[in-house]
């Protein structure tokens, strides 16, 4: 329908990814202004159970493409199914997460349908003529671009941790429309997904809290210190490129221009100088805490709180203090959303 917003759901192990909930919230707000509703596209194998949660978070209709051929993400298969759905329902807006999957899928679908695409968007306004006025950081976050697309549906990928989800309402239900799945010829298939061994699983893109380490850690074993702090806070572990290039930690942990862009509520940078390429990936974090022994380190220019000191002394103290405070419940590891 002309004013509808289609959110492409992402899920793992029968749970919706947080960015999907955020897109449903933002999609609802956009659809209200366009006089439409928010709908969800759910692709996968044996994933019908997730449809209920989509309704709780605002979807008024769920399009379900459920087939063994969609069990693992494939660029070709998912593109064919999603492009077919968009041609069928012709929404005003299509939103995907700016995640590993969304960043692969969105441009494929846009190219297949001859549509424009705004990527990694952080805000949407609706103009009087119903076109979206889209905000997206560019040049590694050093400038903000405002873009409008000429084509319909208007497609965008949405940066995780930026939009607010709706309060879940378990009384909300949504009809589920099953789609006939025709993936066509899939030439490249994901055969297996292998869990990274050793270090904690990343989940950087959607993490609320990130504890990140750089060259100041001096060696791979020091990431254990960060992991202890991360465990206490329920945080993910990030890294600078210097630490990754030294082989201390896998590239999937890298934050920055050539790594991940993250928007956590709290980013704790340990032994990271704050090079522009690193800042490009994390400076939109709500709160930045920097621990560095050099008082002139550039990271302090973007930090909300700075600790000038040796991380090998400071991090264990923080870990112990947070552990104590959390046990005594004098603080919570969920960082409040608004500055007070
Ligand atoms: C094209 C390009 C792309 C790039 N992409 C990225 C990217 O995606 N991500 C990224 O991070 N970088 C990227 N870089 C690299 C970037 O320019 C920096 O070289 C890198 O970020 C530096 O990492 P670092 O801060 O860990 O190391 P350094 O700059 O060497 O800083 C180490 C810091 O640790 C502090 N320190 C040392 N010992 C201690 C201690 N005991 N306690 C406390 N503090 C201590 C020092 O004072 C120093 O400030 C890119 C570069 C280029 C050219």
């Amino acid at each position: 329908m002309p004013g509808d917003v289609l959110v492409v759901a992402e899920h793992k192990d029968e749970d919706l990814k947080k960015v999907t909930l955020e897109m449903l919230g933002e999609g609802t707000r956009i659809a209200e202004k366009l006089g439409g509703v928010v709908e969800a596209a759910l692709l996968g194998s044996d994933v019908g159970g997730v449809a209920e949660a989509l309704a709780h978070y605002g979807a008024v209709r769920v399009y379900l493409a459920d087939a063994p051929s969609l069990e693992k993400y494939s660029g070709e298969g998912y593109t064919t199914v999603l492009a077919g759905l968009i041609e069928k329902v012709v929404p005003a807006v299509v939103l995907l997460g700016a995640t590993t999957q969304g960043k692969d899928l969105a441009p494929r679908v846009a190219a297949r349908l001859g549509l424009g695409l705004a990527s990694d968007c952080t805000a949407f306004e609706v103009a009087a003529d119903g076109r979206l006025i889209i905000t997206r950081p560019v040049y590694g976050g050093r400038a903000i671009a405002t873009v409008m697309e000429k084509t319909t549906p208007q497609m965008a990928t949405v940066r995780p941790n930026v939009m607010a989800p709706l309060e879940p309402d378990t009384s909300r239900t949504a009809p589920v429309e099953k789609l006939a799945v025709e993936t066509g010829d899939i030439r490249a298939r994901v055969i297996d997904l292998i869990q990274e061994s050793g270090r904690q699983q990343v989940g950087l893109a959607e993490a609320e809290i990130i504890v990140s380490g750089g060259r100041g850690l001096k060696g791979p074993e020091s990431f254990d210190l960060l992991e202890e702090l991360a465990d206490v806070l329920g945080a993910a572990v990030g890294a600078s490129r210097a630490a990754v290039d030294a082989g201390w930690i896998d590239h999937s942990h890298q934050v920055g221009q050539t790594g991940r862009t993250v928007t956590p509520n709290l980013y704790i940078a340990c032994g990271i100088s704050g090079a522009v390429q690193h800042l490009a990936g994390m400076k939109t974090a709500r709160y930045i805490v920097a621990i560095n022994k050099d008082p002139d380190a550039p990271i302090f220019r973007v930090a909300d709180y700075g600790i000038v000191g040796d991380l090998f002394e400071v991090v264990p103290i923080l870990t112990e203090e947070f552990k104590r405070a959390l046990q005594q419940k004098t603080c919570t590891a969920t960082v409040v959303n608004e500055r007070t």
Side-chain angles (χ1 to χ4, degrees), residues 6-35:
L6 181 70
V7 167
V8 181
E10 261 191 70
H11 49 87
K12 192 171 179 235
D13 302 331
E14 298 185 10
D15 274 335
L16 287 170
K17 287 207 170 178
K18 197 161 144 263
V19 69
T20 299
L21 313 182
E22 293 164 0
M23 289 191 292
L24 288 171
E26 187 62 18
T28 303
R29 287 181 277 275
I30 296 171
E32 273 167 11
K33 291 182 191 153
L34 294 175

Side-chain angles (χ1 to χ4, degrees), residues 185-196:
D185 184 23
I186 300 179
R187 290 165 298 173
R189 285 178 192 278
V190 176
I191 306 219
D192 203 2
L193 292 170
I194 299 162
Q195 293 265 105
E196 184 196 353

Side-chain angles (χ1 to χ4, degrees), residues 213-218 239-245 248 251 254-260 267 269-281 291-299 307-314:
R215 206 190 319 257
L217 288 180
K218 312 236 185 304
S240 73
R241 178 161 157 183
V244 171
D245 284 353
W248 300 345
H251 177 260
Q254 185 179 315
V255 173
Q257 189 180 311
T258 43
R260 308 251 172 181
Y267 189 89
C270 309
I272 293 177
S273 60
V276 283
Q277 296 90 350
H278 188 79
L279 300 185
I291 304 165
N292 197 304
K293 64 180 186 184
D294 173 7
D296 296 322
I299 190 83
I307 302 174
V308 179
D310 185 338
L311 72 91
F312 294 98
E313 291 169 18
V314 175

